[in-house]
Amino acid sequence: MRRVALKIIHYGLLLGAALVFLAPILFMLAGSLKPDARVLSEAGSWRALVPDGITLENYRAVLARTPFWHYLLNSLLINGLIVGLGLLINSLAGYALARLRWRGRDAVLGAVLAILVIPFEAIAVPLFYQLSLLGWRDDFSVQIAPFVANPLSIYLFYTFFLSLPRELEEAARIDGAGPLRTFFTVVVPNARPVFASVAIVTLLFYWGLYLWPLLMTTGPAVRPLPLGIATFFTLPPLHWGQILAFGVMMVAPVLALFLIFQRGFVRGVASSGLKG
């Protein structure tokens, strides 16, 4: 009897913790599907988490009042290039640090770890000043180039490549393969989990990036979704249901990608430096 009671308490605590984390997402999803007048009137009760009286009017209004698809395409282009180029460059850097022997390797690894602890906000203003002097404003390149090389991604690849058996690469080298051929034909196929986890972590971070696009862009032509929802928030009259609908449409692509690659992400976390 005591064992059953402990299990009930255990699962009850887990359910309560899950509800705490899921409550903001449920509120956003339910509010986006309700008539706008009910969003605030039910905000203080449990009914705020239940999407009864479902309507898609908030989503139609968002698409009618703002160039949502334009913002979405901008975000897909910017984040797709950051993730794609980042996987190539950061994986090569991690492999060079983990497997190759060259003068200054320990100093470079120390620099990567040192940069890892510096928050981007601390260097945003100096970087803005330097790139403004070069004329890099109101362009896609200024939202992509500064974020391709990432110290966290390099470190994750570095720790994963350290754990790979050297016998895999030695067999390829006996067959005459050089470092690059060994990397692309032997190492990359065996490192899919860490590639998946790095891609998801990078996408989650940069999909919602707000400060840098705000500093470097002035018009809607090259602005991504975070600035799109901020602009939409200032349009009168204020409709909370439509703002929540915009939020759902902004989160949906990232959530879908995470669910698709969830298995690879978990395996990558278990085998890379993300684990405790």
Side-chain angles (χ1 to χ4, degrees), residues 15-100:
L15 181 61
L19 285 175
V20 169
F21 285 105
L22 289 175
I25 299 174
L26 292 176
F27 175 78
M28 181 173 66
L29 181 60
S32 71
L33 296 171
K34 290 180 180 179
D36 190 73
R38 290 175 51 193
V39 175
L40 289 184
S41 64
E42 297 178 353
S45 69
W46 62 269
R47 295 176 66 86
L49 306 179
V50 180
D52 58 334
I54 291 177
T55 176
L56 296 178
E57 187 55 37
N58 291 323
Y59 292 89
R60 296 192 190 97
V62 169
L63 297 178
R65 297 180 63 198
T66 187
F68 174 83
W69 299 115
H70 179 75
Y71 289 128
L72 177 62
L73 287 175
N74 287 349
S75 283
L76 290 174
L77 174 65
I78 294 167
N79 289 276
L81 288 173
I82 289 176
V83 173
L85 294 174
L87 287 178
L88 174 64
I89 292 175
N90 295 320
S91 63
L92 286 170
Y95 182 73
L97 290 170
R99 284 293 199 250
L100 305 183

Side-chain angles (χ1 to χ4, degrees), residues 116-192:
L116 188 62
V117 300
I118 300 176
F120 174 73
E121 288 75 9
I123 62 171
V125 173
L127 191 60
F128 162 77
Y129 181 70
Q130 287 182 335
L131 295 180
S132 296
L133 291 178
L134 296 174
W136 281 27
R137 297 198 64 185
D138 274 332
D139 197 359
F140 286 115
S141 59
V142 76
Q143 301 179 72
I144 298 169
F147 307 112
V148 170
N150 184 289
L152 176 60
S153 300
I154 294 173
Y155 180 73
L156 294 179
F157 280 117
Y158 166 76
T159 55
F160 182 87
F161 292 145
L162 282 180
S163 65
L164 274 184
R166 287 184 177 273
E167 290 77 9
L168 294 173
E169 299 158 72
E170 289 171 356
R173 285 171 186 160
I174 291 174
D175 292 338
L180 279 179
R181 184 181 167 193
T182 302
F183 176 77
F184 285 110
T185 59
V186 176
V187 175
V188 171
N190 288 283
R192 289 173 186 165

Side-chain angles (χ1 to χ4, degrees), residues 165-247:
R166 287 184 177 273
E167 290 77 9
L168 294 173
E169 299 158 72
E170 289 171 356
R173 285 171 186 160
I174 291 174
D175 292 338
L180 279 179
R181 184 181 167 193
T182 302
F183 176 77
F184 285 110
T185 59
V186 176
V187 175
V188 171
N190 288 283
R192 289 173 186 165
V194 72
F195 274 86
S197 60
V198 169
I200 291 176
V201 169
T202 304
L203 183 63
L204 288 176
F205 182 80
Y206 291 114
W207 188 260
L209 192 64
Y210 177 81
L211 175 62
W212 185 249
L214 181 66
L215 286 173
M216 300 306 296
T217 63
T218 57
V222 295
R223 285 189 158 181
L225 275 172
L227 294 187
I229 195 172
T231 303
F232 184 72
F233 189 77
T234 62
L235 295 178
L238 186 62
H239 296 289
W240 285 103
Q242 295 175 17
I243 293 172
L244 294 177
F246 199 124

